[in-house]
């Protein structure tokens, strides 16, 4: 399963995911996937209860 597919599934099921940013580990709730000028983007809110 690709990262895109995993994020799409997490959005549909409203589950948190783990990710790294600037060499730090976080958890968050992905909310939207998109693409601008051929570059993939994800809107994700950090934290466990971000779906509420």
């Amino acid at each position: 399963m690709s990262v895109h597919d995993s994020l799409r599934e997490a959005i549909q099921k409203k589950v948190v995911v783990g990710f790294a940013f600037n060499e730090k580990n976080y958890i968050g709730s992905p909310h939207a996937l998109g693409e601008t000028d051929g570059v993939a983007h994800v809107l994700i809110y950090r934290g466990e209860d971000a779906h509420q």
Side-chain angles (χ1 to χ4, degrees):
M1 181 180 282
S2 71
V3 172
H4 186 269
D5 292 338
S6 296
L7 288 170
R8 184 180 356 195
E9 184 176 322
I11 291 168
Q12 291 171 345
K13 294 182 178 181
K14 296 185 178 182
V15 297
V16 297
V17 296
F19 64 97
F21 181 71
N22 288 338
E23 300 180 11
K24 294 182 182 178
N25 294 322
Y26 297 97
I27 58 171
S29 302
H31 285 263
L33 295 172
E35 188 175 301
T36 303
D37 296 328
V39 178
H41 295 273
V42 61
L43 173 63
I44 188 167
Y45 295 99
R46 288 190 302 176
E48 289 185 51
D49 61 350
H51 280 295
Q52 297 177 358

